[in-house]
Amino acid sequence: MMLVRSIAAAAGCLLWSCYVHGQVKAPTGDRVTAVFAEEAPRIDGILNDAIWGETPPITSFVQVWPHEGEPPTEHSEVRIAYNRDYLFFAFTFYDREPHLIRAKNMERGGRNDRDDHAYIALDTYMDKRNSYLFEMNALGTQDDATITDEGLTLDSFSWNAVFWSETVINDQGWTMEVSIPFRQLRFPKGDSLTFGLMLSRTINRKNERVIWPEIGLEYGGRFGVLAAVSQYGTLTGLKGVRRGRNIEIKPYAITGLQMTRSDLLTDDVQQEFKRDLGIDIKYGLTSNLTADLSVNTDFAQVEADNVQLNLTRFSLFFPEKREFFLERSGLFEHGNPRTTQTFFSRRIGLSERILGGVRLTGQVGPLSIGLMNIETGDNLSHTFSSKSVNNTVARVRATLFPRATAGAIVTNLTSTEGSNTAMGVDAQYRFWSSSEFNAWYTHVDNFGEVAPGSAGHGSLRLLNDTYGVSASYTSVGADYYPALGFVRRRNQRRFFGSAQYTPVVSIAALPFVRRFNLQSEYTYIAGQDGMVQSTSAAFSAGVDLHRRDGFEITIERQFERLARPFHIRPDATIAENDYTYTQVSLSGMTDSSRRLYGSAGVSGGGFFPGTQTNLTGMAGYRPTQHLNVEADLRYSLIDLPLENGRFSATTVSLSVLGAVSRKLFATALVQYDNFTNNLQANIRVDWIHTPGSDLFLVFNTAYHFADADDELFDPRRETMLLSRVGVAKLTYLILL
C-alpha cells in the first residue's frame, strides 16, 4: 500500500502542478476545408475527375527529416473531398527523378516503410490523443493502425480497415487517390464534423519525410511525429455524413488435414481431418461504441512465431499475432510492455481453443472504454459450462485535461479451479513535447494456494529531440501472478536511470554522418527483502548515416547473484554464487529499402563464471515487386568451467515473400535450431478476393533431425516427421 500511496501522491502533485502553472495548449494549427463532391471521383490514381479541379490543394509541407523545418526537396499537393459516404484524398507527389521512386512491396500490411509512401491520420473525436492512421506506398499497397494516447508501435499496425487506394507512377512523380468509408470510422454525433488531420510523405531514397502541419522532431522523432495527435491540423467542412448501419458480418469456412507423431520413439503417426465453420460480427451500437462478436474463432492463417532460444533464467516473450486481439490492443495496455503486463492476450487460448468471444470498444465523452469476454475449452458444446474457462477484461481511460489520462483495468479468469482477478489503476501525463510521467499499480487475488500479490511502477522521462533523461521504479511481489498477464521476473524492486544525447550534426569532415546517439543507463534490482539480485551499467555510442545506415558499440558491466542453481541446459548447471562480468558488442545495419541490404553484430565477454561469444547476421534481397528474400543467423558459443558447459546455441531462418499482385501473395518461413534439432516450415498463401475477404492456404511441417548423441538416434531414420498440417480457410466480408 505504501507503493500505491507514493505513486498516487506523485501523480497527483505532478498533474496538479502542471494544471495550475499552465496546461500544455495544442497549437491552433493549420486548417483545411473538405469540398463536397456531387459526383464521386473514380479511384484509379488518375486525377482527372472534376472534383479535383474544384478543390484547392494543401501544399505547405515541411521537412521533418533530414533537415527539420526546411522546405521539401520535392513538391507535394493534397486535395480533400467527401460525399455522404466517403472521404476522398488526391495526392500529387512530384519527383524530378521518377525512375528512382522506390515501389516494391505488394503485401498488405507489409514493409511499406521500404518504399516511397504516404500517411493519412484522422483524429475523429478531436480528443488530441487517439487517431486512425492509413498508410499507402507508391503501388497503392495498404496498411493501417490505431494510435492510442499518442503512442505508435509495430503492434499498432493491426487494425484491418477496408478502404481503397490506387496509384500511378508517371514522368512527373506519382499520383494517388484514396477513398475511406465513413462507416470504417467512429466519430461523435452531429450534422457538422471536425477532425484532427495529419498528412505525411516519405521520399525513401533521400531518407526524407515531409509533413503537414509542421510538427517538430521533439515530438518523438521522425517516426514518432506521426503519433503526435495533440499537434495535428484541423479538417472542417464535413456536413450531412451518412454513418450507415455499421454492421459487418464475416463468416469463415475451414478444412484441412493434420498429421502428428504422438511418440518420437515409434512410427505411430496420427491423422485428423478438420472442417469447421465460424463467424465474426462487428456492430456499431452507437456512433461511439462498437461491438465485436466471434463464434468458434480460428487463427489457422496466423504466421508462425520466430524461434527463440532461452539462455536466461526468465520467461521469453512471444508477441501476439492474432487479429481479434490485436485490433485496438493499445486500449487494453496496462503495465510495463513485455516485462510486467497486467493483460497479455496470448494467455487466452494458449492450450485450449477459443469457443467464442465478445468485445466492446469505443468512446463516451472523455472516456475510452474496452470490454472483452472470451470462452475457451475443448469443444464448442462446452461453452458457458463447467468445462469451459471464462476470460474477462474491462478497461477504461479518462481524459483529465489535454495530454493527461487516468484509467483502470480489471481482468478475471474463472475455471473449475477457481478464479484469478487482477485490478489495476494507472495515470499518464505527456508534457512539453515528448516528456512523460507514467504510473500504474495492480493487485491480484489468486485462486488455489497462491497468496495475493501486487506490482507497481512509476517513471518520469524528460525528452526532446537532442537530450533525454529518465528514471523509474518498479516493484513486483513474489506472489504476483495475474492469470491473464505476463510477468518476466517476480520478487524484485527495480531502480532504473538513463541519459541520452542525440545531436544532429553537420560536420564538413563527416558529410555522410547525420546523427550521433550516445546513451548510458544503470539498473539496480533487489529482492523484496532488500538483498541485491542484479545490477547493470551500460554505455552505447552509435552513428546514423544519411542513408539510414548505422552502427553502434555497447559496453555493459553486469552483476548477477544466483540464490539457487541455474539450469542453463538440462545437463549443465551454474552453481549459486555472485558473478560479475563485462560484455562488449558491435553492430551495424544498412538501409533495408535497397535491393541488397543486411545487418551484422558481434559481441563477447564474460558470462557467469565463463565466457559468451555471439554472432548475428541478416541478409536481404528484393530485386522486384514480386520477390523478397531474407536469411537470418543467430549463433552463441557458451564456454563455462563446468560439466557440459561448452555448447553452442544456433538458430537459422529463411523467409521468402512472393507476390503476384496486391491481391495475391505468399510467404514462407523456414527455421532450424540446434537445441531441439527441429526444422520447421510455415507457408501461407493469401488471396484477397474482395476487400476485407481472403482465401488462405496454409501449410505447416516440422521434422526432427537426430544425431549420434540424441537418445532418439536411429541410423535407419535420422529424419523424423513431427507434424504436417494443410489448411484452407475462406472468409467473406458482408457489409450492411
Side-chain angles (χ1 to χ4, degrees), residues 11-299:
C13 289
L14 180 63
L15 296 177
W16 177 251
S17 174
C18 293
Y19 188 84
V20 170
H21 294 288
Q23 301 177 35
V24 177
K25 296 182 179 180
T28 303
D30 293 20
R31 300 176 68 89
V32 61
T33 301
V35 176
F36 184 78
E38 296 288 349
E39 182 178 349
R42 181 179 180 183
I43 306 302
D44 54 10
I46 303 173
L47 310 188
N48 58 0
D49 304 276
I51 184 62
W52 301 133
E54 304 167 4
T55 305
I58 300 171
T59 59
S60 54
F61 286 82
V62 296
Q63 283 193 52
V64 175
W65 189 265
H67 303 293
E68 181 185 6
E70 294 189 9
T73 61
E74 306 288 352
H75 184 63
S76 301
E77 297 180 356
V78 182
R79 293 168 170 84
I80 306 175
Y82 77 101
N83 63 15
R84 295 190 64 190
D85 299 304
Y86 297 93
L87 185 60
F88 304 109
F89 293 83
F91 296 82
T92 304
F93 292 143
Y94 293 96
D95 197 315
R96 284 164 288 186
E97 298 176 293
H99 61 286
L100 297 180
I101 292 172
R102 292 181 176 171
K104 291 184 178 179
N105 177 51
M106 285 187 172
E107 179 191 20
R108 196 196 193 288
R111 294 295 302 272
N112 280 342
D113 63 303
R114 294 174 173 172
D115 294 333
D116 286 36
H117 59 279
Y119 287 105
I120 301 168
L122 298 170
D123 173 11
T124 56
Y125 287 103
M126 288 293 289
D127 63 6
K128 301 295 184 181
R129 61 187 181 92
N130 302 303
S131 71
Y132 299 99
L133 186 69
F134 301 87
E135 179 187 45
M136 301 73 52
N137 74 352
L139 295 175
T141 307
Q142 302 173 350
D143 201 1
D144 36 57
T146 51
I147 295 171
T148 303
D149 284 334
E150 295 192 288
L152 181 63
T153 66
L154 291 179
D155 292 340
S156 304
F157 286 86
S158 54
W159 179 44
N160 234 344
V162 176
F163 66 105
W164 289 264
S165 57
E166 296 294 341
T167 63
V168 172
I169 299 176
N170 55 40
D171 57 2
Q172 292 186 321
W174 59 290
T175 58
M176 176 170 63
E177 288 178 297
V178 179
S179 173
I180 301 174
F182 283 113
R183 65 180 302 142
Q184 288 290 297
L185 308 174
R186 299 294 176 262
F187 42 83
K189 292 181 179 180
D191 185 64
S192 181
L193 299 173
T194 300
F195 292 169
L197 176 67
M198 184 278 302
L199 303 167
S200 174
R201 173 194 182 183
T202 295
I203 307 169
N204 205 290
R205 70 183 183 278
K206 299 182 180 182
N207 192 19
E208 179 179 331
R209 169 162 288 160
V210 301
I211 198 169
W212 180 94
E214 182 175 1
I215 303 175
L217 282 173
E218 68 271 18
Y219 287 95
R222 51 187 162 178
F223 182 72
V225 294
L226 303 175
V229 184
S230 60
Q231 308 303 306
Y232 284 4
T234 304
L235 174 63
T236 63
L238 303 174
K239 298 180 179 180
V241 168
R242 184 160 45 203
R243 304 169 189 275
R245 297 171 64 185
N246 292 331
I247 301 176
E248 299 179 7
I249 302 174
K250 195 171 186 177
Y252 82 83
I254 187 170
T255 184
L257 179 65
Q258 175 173 308
M259 301 170 58
T260 56
R261 186 185 298 276
S262 58
D263 188 345
L264 294 179
L265 296 175
T266 71
D267 288 320
D268 180 26
V269 177
Q270 298 178 344
Q271 296 188 21
E272 179 185 359
F273 181 74
K274 179 179 182 179
R275 58 179 180 271
D276 216 339
L277 300 172
I279 191 170
D280 295 327
I281 300 173
K282 185 185 295 287
Y283 176 47
L285 299 175
T286 68
S287 61
N288 299 334
L289 294 175
T290 302
D292 293 271
L293 173 66
S294 182
V295 179
N296 202 22
T297 315
D298 182 272
F299 300 107

Side-chain angles (χ1 to χ4, degrees), residues 424-435:
V425 294
D426 64 334
Q428 181 186 70
Y429 180 59
R430 293 177 179 268
F431 55 99
W432 297 338
S433 51
S434 297
S435 297

Side-chain angles (χ1 to χ4, degrees), residues 572-591:
T573 303
I574 302 175
E576 55 186 86
N577 207 336
D578 292 350
Y579 301 95
T580 302
Y581 50 92
T582 302
Q583 293 190 339
V584 180
S585 66
L586 176 65
S587 62
M589 62 178 293
T590 66
D591 181 0

